[in-house]
PDB file of all heavy atoms in Angstrom:
ATOM      1  N   ASP A  58      -5.805  12.199  56.901  1.00  0.00           N
ATOM      2  CA  ASP A  58      -5.225  13.311  57.623  1.00  0.00           C
ATOM      3  C   ASP A  58      -6.323  13.901  58.557  1.00  0.00           C
ATOM      4  O   ASP A  58      -6.133  14.204  59.823  1.00  0.00           O
ATOM      5  CB  ASP A  58      -4.803  14.380  56.654  1.00  0.00           C
ATOM      6  CG  ASP A  58      -3.869  15.360  57.291  1.00  0.00           C
ATOM      7  OD1 ASP A  58      -3.745  15.380  58.585  1.00  0.00           O
ATOM      8  OD2 ASP A  58      -3.388  16.345  56.662  1.00  0.00           O
ATOM      9  N   VAL A  59      -7.530  14.090  58.000  1.00  0.00           N
ATOM     10  CA  VAL A  59      -8.631  14.605  58.861  1.00  0.00           C
ATOM     11  C   VAL A  59      -8.998  13.613  59.956  1.00  0.00           C
ATOM     12  O   VAL A  59      -9.270  14.060  61.197  1.00  0.00           O
ATOM     13  CB  VAL A  59      -9.849  15.063  58.025  1.00  0.00           C
ATOM     14  CG1 VAL A  59     -11.032  15.464  58.854  1.00  0.00           C
ATOM     15  CG2 VAL A  59      -9.511  16.057  57.042  1.00  0.00           C
ATOM     16  N   LEU A  60      -9.027  12.341  59.715  1.00  0.00           N
ATOM     17  CA  LEU A  60      -9.394  11.328  60.592  1.00  0.00           C
ATOM     18  C   LEU A  60      -8.460  11.340  61.858  1.00  0.00           C
ATOM     19  O   LEU A  60      -8.875  11.430  62.996  1.00  0.00           O
ATOM     20  CB  LEU A  60      -9.436   9.943  59.912  1.00  0.00           C
ATOM     21  CG  LEU A  60      -9.747   8.776  60.845  1.00  0.00           C
ATOM     22  CD1 LEU A  60     -11.162   8.952  61.358  1.00  0.00           C
ATOM     23  CD2 LEU A  60      -9.638   7.496  59.987  1.00  0.00           C
ATOM     24  N   PHE A  61      -7.118  11.236  61.609  1.00  0.00           N
ATOM     25  CA  PHE A  61      -6.115  11.147  62.635  1.00  0.00           C
ATOM     26  C   PHE A  61      -6.067  12.538  63.452  1.00  0.00           C
ATOM     27  O   PHE A  61      -5.831  12.506  64.695  1.00  0.00           O
ATOM     28  CB  PHE A  61      -4.764  10.781  62.167  1.00  0.00           C
ATOM     29  CG  PHE A  61      -4.597   9.307  61.850  1.00  0.00           C
ATOM     30  CD1 PHE A  61      -4.850   8.774  60.671  1.00  0.00           C
ATOM     31  CD2 PHE A  61      -4.310   8.392  62.824  1.00  0.00           C
ATOM     32  CE1 PHE A  61      -4.734   7.426  60.342  1.00  0.00           C
ATOM     33  CE2 PHE A  61      -4.129   7.034  62.646  1.00  0.00           C
ATOM     34  CZ  PHE A  61      -4.387   6.568  61.419  1.00  0.00           C
ATOM     35  N   ARG A  62      -6.245  13.586  62.738  1.00  0.00           N
ATOM     36  CA  ARG A  62      -6.180  14.934  63.365  1.00  0.00           C
ATOM     37  C   ARG A  62      -7.421  15.014  64.297  1.00  0.00           C
ATOM     38  O   ARG A  62      -7.322  15.682  65.388  1.00  0.00           O
ATOM     39  CB  ARG A  62      -6.063  15.975  62.450  1.00  0.00           C
ATOM     40  CG  ARG A  62      -5.942  17.451  63.074  1.00  0.00           C
ATOM     41  CD  ARG A  62      -5.776  18.486  62.079  1.00  0.00           C
ATOM     42  NE  ARG A  62      -4.425  18.472  61.492  1.00  0.00           N
ATOM     43  CZ  ARG A  62      -4.180  18.050  60.226  1.00  0.00           C
ATOM     44  NH1 ARG A  62      -5.162  17.611  59.479  1.00  0.00           N
ATOM     45  NH2 ARG A  62      -2.945  18.008  59.881  1.00  0.00           N
ATOM     46  N   SER A  63      -8.592  14.563  63.915  1.00  0.00           N
ATOM     47  CA  SER A  63      -9.763  14.572  64.683  1.00  0.00           C
ATOM     48  C   SER A  63      -9.700  13.795  65.974  1.00  0.00           C
ATOM     49  O   SER A  63     -10.167  14.182  67.017  1.00  0.00           O
ATOM     50  CB  SER A  63     -10.977  14.200  63.878  1.00  0.00           C
ATOM     51  OG  SER A  63     -11.099  15.052  62.666  1.00  0.00           O
ATOM     52  N   ILE A  64      -9.071  12.631  65.872  1.00  0.00           N
ATOM     53  CA  ILE A  64      -8.886  11.759  67.099  1.00  0.00           C
ATOM     54  C   ILE A  64      -7.947  12.384  68.022  1.00  0.00           C
ATOM     55  O   ILE A  64      -8.155  12.545  69.256  1.00  0.00           O
ATOM     56  CB  ILE A  64      -8.432  10.344  66.712  1.00  0.00           C
ATOM     57  CG1 ILE A  64      -9.590   9.713  65.819  1.00  0.00           C
ATOM     58  CG2 ILE A  64      -8.121   9.470  67.897  1.00  0.00           C
ATOM     59  CD1 ILE A  64      -9.146   8.337  65.264  1.00  0.00           C
ATOM     60  N   GLY A  65      -6.836  12.879  67.625  1.00  0.00           N
ATOM     61  CA  GLY A  65      -5.815  13.581  68.409  1.00  0.00           C
ATOM     62  C   GLY A  65      -5.417  12.914  69.615  1.00  0.00           C
ATOM     63  O   GLY A  65      -4.881  11.734  69.538  1.00  0.00           O
ATOM     64  N   ALA A  66      -5.625  13.545  70.742  1.00  0.00           N
ATOM     65  CA  ALA A  66      -5.102  12.992  72.098  1.00  0.00           C
ATOM     66  C   ALA A  66      -5.913  11.750  72.463  1.00  0.00           C
ATOM     67  O   ALA A  66      -5.494  11.077  73.386  1.00  0.00           O
ATOM     68  CB  ALA A  66      -5.210  14.096  73.136  1.00  0.00           C
ATOM     69  N   ASN A  67      -7.045  11.450  71.925  1.00  0.00           N
ATOM     70  CA  ASN A  67      -7.858  10.331  72.239  1.00  0.00           C
ATOM     71  C   ASN A  67      -7.310   9.047  71.547  1.00  0.00           C
ATOM     72  O   ASN A  67      -7.846   7.933  71.813  1.00  0.00           O
ATOM     73  CB  ASN A  67      -9.291  10.467  71.820  1.00  0.00           C
ATOM     74  CG  ASN A  67     -10.037  11.586  72.709  1.00  0.00           C
ATOM     75  OD1 ASN A  67      -9.650  11.729  73.876  1.00  0.00           O
ATOM     76  ND2 ASN A  67     -10.940  12.265  72.099  1.00  0.00           N
ATOM     77  N   MET A  68      -6.206   9.126  70.744  1.00  0.00           N
ATOM     78  CA  MET A  68      -5.668   7.953  70.183  1.00  0.00           C
ATOM     79  C   MET A  68      -4.904   7.122  71.224  1.00  0.00           C
ATOM     80  O   MET A  68      -4.274   7.742  72.018  1.00  0.00           O
ATOM     81  CB  MET A  68      -4.735   8.322  68.988  1.00  0.00           C
ATOM     82  CG  MET A  68      -4.072   7.233  68.289  1.00  0.00           C
ATOM     83  SD  MET A  68      -5.248   6.236  67.316  1.00  0.00           S
ATOM     84  CE  MET A  68      -5.602   7.432  66.014  1.00  0.00           C
ATOM     85  N   LEU A  69      -5.119   5.855  71.164  1.00  0.00           N
ATOM     86  CA  LEU A  69      -4.439   4.947  72.168  1.00  0.00           C
ATOM     87  C   LEU A  69      -2.981   4.954  72.027  1.00  0.00           C
ATOM     88  O   LEU A  69      -2.505   5.044  70.833  1.00  0.00           O
ATOM     89  CB  LEU A  69      -4.961   3.629  72.063  1.00  0.00           C
ATOM     90  CG  LEU A  69      -4.653   2.598  73.174  1.00  0.00           C
ATOM     91  CD1 LEU A  69      -5.340   3.038  74.416  1.00  0.00           C
ATOM     92  CD2 LEU A  69      -5.173   1.199  72.800  1.00  0.00           C
ATOM     93  N   ASP A  70      -2.151   4.980  73.103  1.00  0.00           N
ATOM     94  CA  ASP A  70      -0.776   5.012  73.100  1.00  0.00           C
ATOM     95  C   ASP A  70      -0.214   3.749  72.418  1.00  0.00           C
ATOM     96  O   ASP A  70      -0.697   2.603  72.742  1.00  0.00           O
ATOM     97  CB  ASP A  70      -0.196   5.145  74.422  1.00  0.00           C
ATOM     98  CG  ASP A  70       1.339   5.402  74.467  1.00  0.00           C
ATOM     99  OD1 ASP A  70       1.834   5.583  73.342  1.00  0.00           O
ATOM    100  OD2 ASP A  70       1.935   5.561  75.579  1.00  0.00           O
ATOM    101  N   ALA A  71       0.758   3.926  71.541  1.00  0.00           N
ATOM    102  CA  ALA A  71       1.272   2.797  70.761  1.00  0.00           C
ATOM    103  C   ALA A  71       1.977   1.820  71.691  1.00  0.00           C
ATOM    104  O   ALA A  71       2.056   0.598  71.403  1.00  0.00           O
ATOM    105  CB  ALA A  71       2.277   3.268  69.680  1.00  0.00           C
ATOM    106  N   THR A  72       2.546   2.259  72.867  1.00  0.00           N
ATOM    107  CA  THR A  72       3.272   1.277  73.714  1.00  0.00           C
ATOM    108  C   THR A  72       2.341   0.370  74.472  1.00  0.00           C
ATOM    109  O   THR A  72       2.788  -0.660  74.883  1.00  0.00           O
ATOM    110  CB  THR A  72       3.999   2.145  74.795  1.00  0.00           C
ATOM    111  OG1 THR A  72       3.021   3.020  75.583  1.00  0.00           O
ATOM    112  CG2 THR A  72       5.048   3.095  74.159  1.00  0.00           C
ATOM    113  N   SER A  73       1.076   0.654  74.546  1.00  0.00           N
ATOM    114  CA  SER A  73       0.065  -0.257  75.190  1.00  0.00           C
ATOM    115  C   SER A  73      -0.597  -1.215  74.215  1.00  0.00           C
ATOM    116  O   SER A  73      -1.413  -2.052  74.626  1.00  0.00           O
ATOM    117  CB  SER A  73      -1.015   0.539  75.881  1.00  0.00           C
ATOM    118  OG  SER A  73      -1.744   1.366  74.963  1.00  0.00           O
ATOM    119  N   LEU A  74      -0.297  -1.127  72.907  1.00  0.00           N
ATOM    120  CA  LEU A  74      -0.934  -1.954  71.969  1.00  0.00           C
ATOM    121  C   LEU A  74      -0.615  -3.513  72.162  1.00  0.00           C
ATOM    122  O   LEU A  74      -1.476  -4.282  71.892  1.00  0.00           O
ATOM    123  CB  LEU A  74      -0.496  -1.588  70.480  1.00  0.00           C
ATOM    124  CG  LEU A  74      -1.190  -0.302  70.024  1.00  0.00           C
ATOM    125  CD1 LEU A  74      -0.742  -0.060  68.545  1.00  0.00           C
ATOM    126  CD2 LEU A  74      -2.682  -0.400  70.060  1.00  0.00           C
ATOM    127  N   PRO A  75       0.671  -3.938  72.334  1.00  0.00           N
ATOM    128  CA  PRO A  75       0.854  -5.355  72.585  1.00  0.00           C
ATOM    129  C   PRO A  75       0.106  -6.030  73.644  1.00  0.00           C
ATOM    130  O   PRO A  75      -0.397  -7.127  73.462  1.00  0.00           O
ATOM    131  CB  PRO A  75       2.402  -5.373  72.978  1.00  0.00           C
ATOM    132  CG  PRO A  75       2.961  -4.185  72.413  1.00  0.00           C
ATOM    133  CD  PRO A  75       1.926  -3.136  72.493  1.00  0.00           C
ATOM    134  N   SER A  76      -0.353  -5.329  74.723  1.00  0.00           N
ATOM    135  CA  SER A  76      -1.210  -5.905  75.642  1.00  0.00           C
ATOM    136  C   SER A  76      -2.734  -5.898  75.333  1.00  0.00           C
ATOM    137  O   SER A  76      -3.430  -6.499  75.951  1.00  0.00           O
ATOM    138  CB  SER A  76      -1.086  -5.122  77.010  1.00  0.00           C
ATOM    139  OG  SER A  76      -1.377  -3.710  76.873  1.00  0.00           O
ATOM    140  N   LEU A  77      -3.041  -5.086  74.204  1.00  0.00           N
ATOM    141  CA  LEU A  77      -4.428  -4.985  73.821  1.00  0.00           C
ATOM    142  C   LEU A  77      -4.711  -5.778  72.558  1.00  0.00           C
ATOM    143  O   LEU A  77      -5.849  -5.736  72.068  1.00  0.00           O
ATOM    144  CB  LEU A  77      -4.825  -3.501  73.638  1.00  0.00           C
ATOM    145  CG  LEU A  77      -4.708  -2.656  74.795  1.00  0.00           C
ATOM    146  CD1 LEU A  77      -5.048  -1.140  74.427  1.00  0.00           C
ATOM    147  CD2 LEU A  77      -5.703  -3.075  75.994  1.00  0.00           C
ATOM    148  N   LEU A  78      -3.735  -6.411  72.054  1.00  0.00           N
ATOM    149  CA  LEU A  78      -3.992  -7.231  70.834  1.00  0.00           C
ATOM    150  C   LEU A  78      -5.052  -8.261  70.975  1.00  0.00           C
ATOM    151  O   LEU A  78      -5.804  -8.527  70.020  1.00  0.00           O
ATOM    152  CB  LEU A  78      -2.665  -7.786  70.276  1.00  0.00           C
ATOM    153  CG  LEU A  78      -1.650  -6.847  69.670  1.00  0.00           C
ATOM    154  CD1 LEU A  78      -0.342  -7.478  69.260  1.00  0.00           C
ATOM    155  CD2 LEU A  78      -2.278  -6.224  68.424  1.00  0.00           C
ATOM    156  N   ASP A  79      -4.998  -9.004  72.129  1.00  0.00           N
ATOM    157  CA  ASP A  79      -5.978 -10.028  72.317  1.00  0.00           C
ATOM    158  C   ASP A  79      -7.368  -9.493  72.375  1.00  0.00           C
ATOM    159  O   ASP A  79      -8.334 -10.104  71.804  1.00  0.00           O
ATOM    160  CB  ASP A  79      -5.615 -10.817  73.606  1.00  0.00           C
ATOM    161  CG  ASP A  79      -4.494 -11.634  73.469  1.00  0.00           C
ATOM    162  OD1 ASP A  79      -4.069 -11.949  72.341  1.00  0.00           O
ATOM    163  OD2 ASP A  79      -3.792 -11.907  74.567  1.00  0.00           O
ATOM    164  N   SER A  80      -7.551  -8.335  73.004  1.00  0.00           N
ATOM    165  CA  SER A  80      -8.925  -7.832  73.039  1.00  0.00           C
ATOM    166  C   SER A  80      -9.374  -7.363  71.704  1.00  0.00           C
ATOM    167  O   SER A  80     -10.605  -7.386  71.393  1.00  0.00           O
ATOM    168  CB  SER A  80      -8.965  -6.594  74.056  1.00  0.00           C
ATOM    169  OG  SER A  80      -8.112  -5.602  73.704  1.00  0.00           O
ATOM    170  N   LEU A  81      -8.452  -6.707  70.986  1.00  0.00           N
ATOM    171  CA  LEU A  81      -8.823  -6.291  69.564  1.00  0.00           C
ATOM    172  C   LEU A  81      -9.182  -7.498  68.618  1.00  0.00           C
ATOM    173  O   LEU A  81     -10.035  -7.494  67.897  1.00  0.00           O
ATOM    174  CB  LEU A  81      -7.687  -5.519  68.958  1.00  0.00           C
ATOM    175  CG  LEU A  81      -7.491  -4.039  69.479  1.00  0.00           C
ATOM    176  CD1 LEU A  81      -6.213  -3.468  68.900  1.00  0.00           C
ATOM    177  CD2 LEU A  81      -8.637  -3.240  69.101  1.00  0.00           C
ATOM    178  N   GLN A  82      -8.438  -8.639  68.893  1.00  0.00           N
ATOM    179  CA  GLN A  82      -8.663  -9.721  68.048  1.00  0.00           C
ATOM    180  C   GLN A  82      -9.988 -10.499  68.476  1.00  0.00           C
ATOM    181  O   GLN A  82     -10.781 -10.954  67.649  1.00  0.00           O
ATOM    182  CB  GLN A  82      -7.579 -10.818  68.327  1.00  0.00           C
ATOM    183  CG  GLN A  82      -7.715 -12.039  67.483  1.00  0.00           C
ATOM    184  CD  GLN A  82      -7.522 -11.891  66.030  1.00  0.00           C
ATOM    185  OE1 GLN A  82      -6.406 -11.501  65.612  1.00  0.00           O
ATOM    186  NE2 GLN A  82      -8.524 -12.033  65.198  1.00  0.00           N
ATOM    187  N   ALA A  83     -10.386 -10.383  69.700  1.00  0.00           N
ATOM    188  CA  ALA A  83     -11.655 -10.981  70.157  1.00  0.00           C
ATOM    189  C   ALA A  83     -12.848 -10.306  69.591  1.00  0.00           C
ATOM    190  O   ALA A  83     -13.893 -10.982  69.363  1.00  0.00           O
ATOM    191  CB  ALA A  83     -11.701 -10.980  71.688  1.00  0.00           C
ATOM    192  N   CYS A  84     -12.790  -8.989  69.303  1.00  0.00           N
ATOM    193  CA  CYS A  84     -13.904  -8.310  68.698  1.00  0.00           C
ATOM    194  C   CYS A  84     -13.870  -8.219  67.289  1.00  0.00           C
ATOM    195  O   CYS A  84     -14.818  -7.660  66.646  1.00  0.00           O
ATOM    196  CB  CYS A  84     -14.016  -6.918  69.347  1.00  0.00           C
ATOM    197  SG  CYS A  84     -12.737  -5.751  68.770  1.00  0.00           S
ATOM    198  N   ASP A  85     -12.826  -8.749  66.616  1.00  0.00           N
ATOM    199  CA  ASP A  85     -12.807  -8.661  65.158  1.00  0.00           C
ATOM    200  C   ASP A  85     -13.553  -9.897  64.539  1.00  0.00           C
ATOM    201  O   ASP A  85     -13.368 -10.944  64.980  1.00  0.00           O
ATOM    202  CB  ASP A  85     -11.295  -8.828  64.773  1.00  0.00           C
ATOM    203  CG  ASP A  85     -11.081  -8.584  63.278  1.00  0.00           C
ATOM    204  OD1 ASP A  85     -10.952  -7.505  62.866  1.00  0.00           O
ATOM    205  OD2 ASP A  85     -11.031  -9.609  62.490  1.00  0.00           O
ATOM    206  N   SER A  86     -14.382  -9.571  63.634  1.00  0.00           N
ATOM    207  CA  SER A  86     -15.368 -10.531  63.036  1.00  0.00           C
ATOM    208  C   SER A  86     -14.800 -11.090  61.828  1.00  0.00           C
ATOM    209  O   SER A  86     -15.611 -12.000  61.223  1.00  0.00           O
ATOM    210  CB  SER A  86     -16.671  -9.822  62.818  1.00  0.00           C
ATOM    211  OG  SER A  86     -16.561  -8.759  61.946  1.00  0.00           O
ATOM    212  N   SER A  87     -13.727 -10.693  61.320  1.00  0.00           N
ATOM    213  CA  SER A  87     -13.220 -11.228  59.984  1.00  0.00           C
ATOM    214  C   SER A  87     -12.178 -12.261  60.016  1.00  0.00           C
ATOM    215  O   SER A  87     -11.555 -12.596  59.042  1.00  0.00           O
ATOM    216  CB  SER A  87     -12.666 -10.024  59.165  1.00  0.00           C
ATOM    217  OG  SER A  87     -11.627  -9.417  59.795  1.00  0.00           O
ATOM    218  N   GLU A  88     -11.952 -12.886  61.195  1.00  0.00           N
ATOM    219  CA  GLU A  88     -10.966 -13.959  61.343  1.00  0.00           C
ATOM    220  C   GLU A  88      -9.618 -13.488  60.819  1.00  0.00           C
ATOM    221  O   GLU A  88      -8.908 -14.268  60.073  1.00  0.00           O
ATOM    222  CB  GLU A  88     -11.375 -15.245  60.669  1.00  0.00           C
ATOM    223  CG  GLU A  88     -12.776 -15.740  61.060  1.00  0.00           C
ATOM    224  CD  GLU A  88     -13.268 -16.892  60.294  1.00  0.00           C
ATOM    225  OE1 GLU A  88     -12.666 -17.197  59.215  1.00  0.00           O
ATOM    226  OE2 GLU A  88     -14.349 -17.487  60.647  1.00  0.00           O
TER     227      GLU A  88
END
């Protein structure tokens, strides 16, 4: 609760996530 409330408006919009999945996968180190 504190974590998501602290991020607030800086949280990335959910509608843009499908286009950012590749970039998130590229930086993920756990396969």
Side-chain angles (χ1 to χ4, degrees):
D58 195 356
V59 174
L60 179 65
F61 280 94
R62 183 176 288 105
S63 301
I64 296 175
N67 291 330
M68 181 68 71
L69 194 64
D70 189 5
T72 58
S73 60
L74 286 180
S76 61
L77 297 177
L78 284 176
D79 289 337
S80 62
L81 288 171
Q82 181 71 64
C84 70
D85 187 84
S86 60
S87 60
E88 302 173 354

